[in-house]
Amino acid sequence: MRIVRTIVELGAVPRDGVVGLVPTMGALHAGHVSLFEAAREECDTVVTSLFVNHAQFAPGEDFTRYPRDEAADTHIADRAGVDILFAPSVDEIYPDGFQMWVDVQELSKPLEGEFRPGHFRGVATVCLKLFNIVRPQRAYFGAKDAQQVAVLRQMVRDLNLDLELRVLPTVRDTDGLALSSRNAYLSQQERERALALPRALRTRDPVRARALLAEAGVQTDYVDVLEENGSRVLVGAIRIGSTRLIDNVRLEGESQ
Ligand code: AMP
């Protein structure tokens, strides 16, 4: 696996055939690995990006304490068959004078957008930049971030981007908790409380899910139904101490 830190360097690395990109913020786990494996199966060249994108963190969020371990991530990506790991500096992505933002206006407003102002603007902007830098034919995302997928689909459509979004199912731990880099923040006791979220979503009913979370005494940002690519998805976000977790289950519709 080649580790590349600049756009110029990346341009010089041969990328044969169909190129698949898996954008990540690192702290890699089996959820990310499922995306690498899908890309490995479907593409000739697999590129992953490792970039903790400050632009998608709202003020007061966990940007500074977000888990970072490039050595472990390098090992995981290499073992999963990634060809190129693109790990740019902040200046490489947001050089001095940077002033261009992508705003998917309506889809970015509710749910995550309400609780994380500016989040999707940061996500859409960095993804468009990564698409332009890496030039993949396919880009791989997790269904765990359902609204992110909806926002990115809209961007691809509205800006006529010549690429296919591939969306892979949420990978869960044996106890049902969706894998997330942020799970590392949870104590054992907090983790047990966090299990209320997948349990609530499994009711497949927003009213019952909200009631279940309230009974469990879990602080809930929202539980609601999101339309995503012809599917209805029950999405939820909770806070356990200072950790914010999201999850969802698809209610019906086309498989993603
Ligand atoms: P992140 O590093 O958190 O920005 O995530 C990078 C990609 O991995 C995103 O497309 C996420 O949706 C995806 N992802 C994160 N957690 C999971 C999971 N548990 N299962 C599948 N994909 C995931």
Side-chain angles (χ1 to χ4, degrees), residues 80-198:
V82 170
D83 298 306
I84 303 171
L85 178 82
F86 178 50
S89 66
V90 172
D91 282 349
E92 194 69 9
I93 299 297
Y94 299 109
D96 264 0
F98 184 85
Q99 54 181 296
M100 177 67 215
W101 297 98
V102 182
D103 193 1
V104 179
Q105 292 188 335
E106 294 308 318
L107 283 176
S108 293
K109 276 183 195 156
L111 307 170
E112 285 300 280
E114 185 183 339
F115 290 91
R116 307 189 69 188
H119 171 64
F120 288 119
R121 187 178 93 141
V123 169
T125 302
V126 83
C127 284
L128 181 58
K129 285 182 64 87
L130 290 168
F131 296 163
N132 281 333
I133 292 165
V134 176
R135 304 219 161 263
Q137 281 80 39
R138 298 195 180 119
Y140 292 78
F141 294 90
K144 175 173 172 279
D145 295 273
Q147 193 178 2
Q148 168 171 281
V149 170
V151 164
L152 294 176
R153 268 195 219 288
Q154 191 73 36
M155 176 178 83
V156 166
R157 204 181 79 170
D158 288 356
L159 296 181
N160 308 95
L161 301 185
D162 187 15
L163 111 159
E164 182 191 354
L165 289 193
R166 298 277 293 115
V167 181
L168 277 293
T170 300
V171 177
R172 296 177 183 280
D173 237 319
T174 46
D175 59 7
L177 193 66
L179 295 185
S180 162
S181 307
R182 291 188 166 96
N183 292 354
Y185 300 147
L186 300 171
S187 68
Q188 189 52 40
Q189 214 182 19
E190 287 179 325
R191 194 186 160 94
E192 275 157 31
R193 295 187 57 222
L195 287 173
L197 180 57

